Amino acid sequence: QVHVVESGGGLVQAGGSLRLSCAASGSISSINAMGWYRQAPGKQRELVAVVSSGGSTRYADSVKGRFTIARDNAKNTVYLQMNSLKPEDTAVYYCNVNAVAAWGRRNDYWGQGTQVTVSS
């Protein structure tokens, strides 16, 4: 099966930085898009950033200019560099990997989430 594990969350003061990482492993044939989503209590899960297999990126308006998504195809890893963090960035961040498994199934695979808390 395909496993997705994210890390790098934590507690940081407003204006600080964090880098999230997400590694996909298991029986993977290929990875297409990789992205980061977040969900705060009482709110819907929203797209934060996504990067395609070709390197195209897309960001939520709320994080443009502050967050950067990047991928390392050799390591099946995607990163989210978060700078100038704001309290409203507080959420559980989830990694999403759109991949084709070794047995041919294309699907979105999700990590368990990592908590990011930004204090005022």
Side-chain angles (χ1 to χ4, degrees):
Q1 59 181 303
V2 177
H3 300 277
V4 177
V5 180
E6 62 264 83
S7 62
L11 175 65
V12 65
Q13 293 188 49
S17 298
L18 286 172
R19 189 178 77 155
L20 307 183
S21 63
C22 169
S25 62
S27 301
I28 300 171
S29 292
S30 63
I31 295 178
N32 301 303
M34 296 185 286
W36 290 94
Y37 294 72
R38 67 186 182 187
Q39 187 168 27
K43 297 185 180 296
Q44 297 182 35
R45 183 175 297 189
E46 65 173 346
L47 174 69
V48 177
V50 62
V51 56
S52 73
S53 60
S56 298
T57 59
R58 185 171 76 253
Y59 298 89
D61 288 341
S62 60
V63 307
K64 286 181 179 178
R66 300 188 297 119
F67 291 10
T68 302
I69 189 169
R71 62 191 288 169
D72 185 337
N73 292 328
K75 296 183 178 295
N76 288 341
T77 299
V78 62
Y79 305 93
L80 184 68
Q81 178 66 47
M82 304 185 293
N83 298 323
S84 301
L85 283 162
K86 304 175 180 180
E88 50 263 45
D89 294 319
T90 295
V92 177
Y93 285 69
Y94 297 91
C95 177
N96 174 269
V97 178
N98 184 263
V100 178
W103 56 91
R105 183 186 183 190
R106 179 187 177 95
N107 202 2
D108 286 317
Y109 299 92
W110 293 89
Q112 295 303 302
T114 184
Q115 177 71 47
V116 172
T117 302
V118 184
S119 63
S120 301

